[in-house]
Each structure stands twice: as C-alpha cells, then as structure tokens.
Amino acid sequence: MTEAFDPSALAARLHNLRQTGRQEETGTFPLPADLHQAMEAQNFLTAADGISSNAWKVTVSPQGQAVTGPLHPYAEAVSGADIPWHPGMKFETEIAVRLGKDLPVRTGTPYSRADVIEAISAAYLGAELLVSAVRESGSVSFLLFTSDRLGNSGYVLGPELDKSVVDTAGGTPLKVTHAGRTIYDGPAQHPKGDVLTWLVDYANDGLRPETSLKAGALITTGTLSGAVVLTEPGEIDILFGDARLSFSVSKDD
C-alpha cells in the first residue's frame, strides 16, 4: 500500500531546500498524483515562503494543462531591484500584463484572445529568475515542478510598454548583457509565437480557482529569450526595442 501523499510535507521539504540553496533529484520526492495535489503543495509552499504579491506566471504542462505559480521575490526596477543569486539560476526576458478587470471562470463561451486583451490595462517589460529545488526542474515530473512554484525564484518588473506589445513582441530586437557579457542578442521569440497563448489557455481553464485572474493581478507570459543560465552574480541589462530594464542578481552574504 502506497503512503498517502502529504502536500504540506512536500512543501516543507521544498521550502527547506530553497532556503539552503540545495537541489535534489525527482526520484527522492513523494510525487503528487494530479494537478489538484500539486497545487495543494504549491499553496503550502507559497504560505511557507510568505508570499503576498499578486504577481503570477502562466505556462502549460506537457499535456496542455494551463498552470500558474506566484512570482517571488517580486521587485520593481524603479526602486533599484536586487534579486538573490543562486547556483544554477536561469534568466528569462518576458512581457507582463496587468488586468484592469476580472476574468471570471466561464462555463459557456470561451474567452477569445480579444476578450483577454480587453481585460488588460497595462503591459510591461519584465525579467524572471528561475531555480528549482528539483534538480531536473520539470523534465521528469511536471507536477512536482508545479508544486515548486514552477521554479520561480524572482521577478523584476520593468518599464511600462504600449499595450500593443502583446501583438508586436515577436521579432523585436532584444539584447541582454550579464556581468558585462552578452547572453542574448537577437529577435524576441516566444515559445508559442504569441505571448498571450498561455494566459488565454488559463482564462479558459474551468478548474482554476474562482479567485484567479482578478483586476489588479500581474501575469508574466513566458520567455522571449529562452532560459539562460547565470553562472555568477552581476548586473543585468535588457534592451528590448527602445525599452531598457536594468537590475542586479547578488550573492547573499
């Protein structure tokens, strides 16, 4: 007989690994059986991490199930953002959107892309930092990775952009330097081509919480630069078209 899955115990272990900057292999963890159990564990981890920001990432599982996780630590570049650096940390340039009105769970006609755009009040340039307590991230168990807040380990919100960027981001010149070295230089490219794909998918997920996608929520939409490993602490400078975002990742003392 298999032992009952304990979401709070998994969350406590993930929290401890994150606090001490360690990673363990997927096979050493008790695995959630389904998305409900994974999100239960994520909610316990969110509480353990003391997360209160209304900022979220959206993506989809290999099976096409839309999922979210909270962004933490969350900072705004205007106030001089500094995110703790950890070995194995990855960086992604992203577009974030803020909702100006609720997108309640629908049972009838699904939300169109135009419906989602209408609910967006602002768009921004942003940067996500990633490092998971799970050594393989989501490549072995996406449900375990979902429990681990989808690997998020920080987010920096940059300047506001014209809302039309949700239509024009792809192909925009993008250059990123880290510690004085160029780590990305090319056109911005989203994995799905459209930065809103995963947000529209999530809006149309009948299983998402009633409290999700409320006015005021900030949602980041997926990488435009791939995921680049940051091999050391240092300053990051992003030039996206004419918009610039600069911040630092620093080693904890």
Side-chain angles (χ1 to χ4, degrees):
M1 181 174 159
T2 55
E3 199 175 326
F5 176 75
D6 183 346
S8 63
L10 174 58
R13 186 164 160 201
L14 292 169
H15 177 69
N16 179 261
L17 289 168
R18 280 175 167 267
Q19 292 294 102
T20 52
R22 292 179 297 136
Q23 293 179 310
E24 291 186 1
E25 293 179 359
T26 301
T28 68
F29 292 94
L31 299 181
D34 53 31
L35 185 61
H36 175 73
Q37 288 189 346
M39 291 304 296
E40 274 192 308
Q42 188 195 102
N43 291 338
F44 278 115
L45 179 60
T46 298
D49 287 340
I51 300 173
S52 58
S53 66
N54 191 14
W56 308 86
K57 65 183 289 184
V58 290
T59 188
V60 290
S61 74
Q63 290 74 38
Q65 172 66 50
V67 292
T68 60
L71 300 172
H72 178 79
Y74 169 80
E76 301 195 352
V78 289
S79 55
D82 191 353
I83 299 287
W85 175 84
H86 300 284
M89 178 174 267
K90 294 178 182 177
F91 157 90
E92 297 180 352
T93 304
E94 306 197 349
I95 298 297
V97 297
R98 194 175 299 283
L99 296 182
K101 65 178 191 179
D102 296 353
L103 287 169
V105 176
R106 269 190 181 177
T107 51
T109 311
Y111 285 105
S112 66
R113 187 178 187 276
D115 291 334
V116 172
I117 289 176
E118 190 189 344
I120 293 170
S121 59
Y124 304 85
L125 180 62
E128 183 181 6
L129 292 314
L130 297 132
V131 63
S132 176
V134 183
R135 192 175 302 284
E136 303 89 352
S137 296
S139 62
V140 177
S141 170
F142 189 82
L143 290 173
L144 178 62
F145 186 58
T146 299
S147 301
D148 192 33
R149 297 201 289 104
L150 297 166
N152 175 262
S153 60
Y155 196 82
V156 179
L157 189 71
E160 185 171 346
L161 306 173
D162 193 282
K163 191 172 136 176
S164 64
V165 74
V166 298
D167 296 321
T168 62
T172 300
L174 173 61
K175 183 174 183 179
V176 184
T177 58
H178 169 243
R181 293 194 303 272
T182 300
I183 59 172
Y184 187 90
D185 190 0
Q189 295 177 298
H190 189 274
K192 290 296 181 184
D194 176 7
V195 300
L196 292 183
T197 296
W198 293 331
L199 177 53
V200 174
D201 287 348
Y202 188 64
N204 286 318
D205 176 19
L207 300 176
R208 66 180 169 92
E210 293 286 345
T211 53
S212 59
L213 300 184
K214 296 288 191 183
L218 185 86
I219 298 110
T220 195
T221 57
T223 185
L224 300 175
S225 58
V228 186
V229 175
L230 303 179
T231 55
E232 60 181 329
E235 292 285 326
I236 290 178
D237 185 68
I238 304 166
L239 190 61
F240 173 80
D242 297 327
R244 173 164 255 131
L245 167 55
S246 300
F247 64 98
S248 57
V249 286
S250 303
K251 197 164 188 175
D252 284 341
D253 294 330

